[in-house]
Each structure stands twice: as C-alpha cells, then as structure tokens.
Amino acid sequence: RNKGHECLGKARFLTEGSMGYSNTLPKIGTSNSIHPKYKGKEMFIEDALALIKAKKVFIMLGMNDFCIYPEEQAMANAKECTDKIKEKNPDIDIYIESVTPALFDSGKFSNENINKFDVALKNFCEENGYTYVDVASAMKDENGILISSYCGDPGAKGVHMSNIGCKAWVDYLNKICIEEK
C-alpha cells in the first residue's frame, strides 16, 4: 500500500508475534501478556480499535490458543476478547478468520486440531452474530494441508506464511470484502 498498490483499502494492522486470544487478556506488562502496539504504545486491542475508529475488525488469532488450552477455555478467551472489543466499540463489525492449515503435523499443531478449532470458531461466530471468514479453504491443497509455496518456514514449524501465502490471504480477504458490497 505504501508503494501505491491497493491492499485491503485503508486497512490498518494491529499485530504482535505469538498473539492469541488468551494472552491479549492479562494486564499489559505482565509476563503472560502480548498486546499490539499502536503509534508505538502497547495497548489492548479494544483500545487501539477505538483510537483508530475502526468500523470492522478482522481477527486472526487462535493457533496459539488451541495448542495450549482445552477448546472450552480457548473459546471462553475468544469470547472475553470479542466482548471487550464490542463493549469499547459497540458499532464495530467483527470478522473472525479461521486458523490456517499447517504444512505438516507437529504435536498439537496438527491439521486435525486446526480443523476442529475452526469448527468451534465458526460455531462461535454463529452464536454471537460475527462473520466467520474461512481463510483456511484458500490455503489448503487437495490433501487439506497448507499449500507448500504458501509456507514460509517449511524446515521449522510449517505454519507461518511466505510472501506468496500472504498474498493469497490478502486476495481472499479482498474477495470477501468485494462480495460483501
């Protein structure tokens, strides 16, 4: 976008490494918390969204939740996170993106567990009036695993996106936004 290319309109990104629903909830500065930075200041997601006056939020969290917590706890944390967002931003539309597939299974990072969690996310969205965005479907090959060229760490975890994978992800989100209009 900074080079004049269209990329999700006027989207702004609130990210931080290894962020999940669960670790966005504790007080800022505690050892088990991870929060995005906005204008150089670490803050809760709901506060950053309020500052930028967001009308929509696309949330892609969860991979760092289902591997640590039982599904019920991970979903309770997702609910607490989204409740805080809605409380601070009552008119915001919430879109929850699926967890993307893995290139290979590694312990709890398995495509079977990812698929189960994605079903739980979809049900959560239906129960709470949020839009579920099935990004995973655009990232899977015919065997249901991450398309190999989309993987940025094939010799490590096999879950992080390459530049090609990120482009496919952005293209999918743009398609969703266009279909919505």
Side-chain angles (χ1 to χ4, degrees):
R1 188 170 62 200
N2 292 335
K3 295 180 181 179
H5 301 288
E6 185 62 27
C7 178
L8 296 176
K10 296 179 181 179
R12 285 172 266 172
F13 298 85
L14 300 170
T15 65
E16 189 60 46
S18 299
M19 188 164 57
Y21 292 106
S22 307
N23 55 21
T24 65
L25 302 173
K27 184 178 175 182
I28 292 172
T30 57
S31 64
N32 60 341
S33 71
I34 297 177
H35 302 281
K37 290 185 177 105
Y38 180 67
K39 293 192 174 182
K41 182 179 178 198
E42 188 176 23
M43 62 181 60
F44 289 104
I45 295 170
E46 62 270 19
D47 294 332
L49 292 169
L51 283 173
I52 62 177
K53 297 177 177 35
K55 301 294 180 207
K56 295 179 183 180
V57 60
F58 285 76
I59 301 171
M60 184 182 244
L61 299 173
M63 179 128 356
N64 293 310
D65 294 285
F66 78 82
C67 288
I68 298 171
Y69 299 97
E71 183 179 301
E72 300 78 27
Q73 183 62 52
M75 295 315 301
N77 292 337
K79 178 146 180 45
E80 185 176 348
C81 179
T82 54
D83 284 352
K84 287 181 176 194
I85 290 170
K86 283 301 270 187
E87 182 179 318
K88 193 88 168 200
N89 305 273
D91 296 326
I92 201 165
D93 292 328
I94 295 179
Y95 296 76
I96 297 187
E97 298 177 54
S98 62
V99 173
T100 54
L103 185 61
F104 52 83
D105 292 346
S106 177
K108 289 187 178 183
F109 278 116
S110 71
N111 284 301
E112 180 181 354
N113 287 339
I114 291 168
N115 292 337
K116 285 179 186 175
F117 191 72
D118 283 345
V119 168
L121 283 175
K122 184 176 183 182
N123 292 336
F124 172 75
C125 288
E126 290 170 0
E127 293 165 6
N128 290 281
Y130 304 141
T131 302
Y132 178 74
V133 182
D134 184 13
V135 175
S137 65
M139 307 303 246
K140 292 178 181 178
D141 69 10
E142 64 278 356
N143 298 312
I145 65 172
L146 181 62
I147 295 169
S148 62
S149 64
Y150 291 1
C151 185
D153 62 348
K157 291 187 178 182
V159 297
H160 298 101
M161 296 297 130
S162 66
N163 288 340
I164 295 167
C166 288
K167 182 180 181 333
W169 176 17
V170 168
D171 289 347
Y172 184 80
L173 292 178
N174 274 321
K175 178 182 167 206
I176 296 297
C177 291
I178 290 167
E179 288 173 357
E180 207 177 56
K181 289 181 182 180

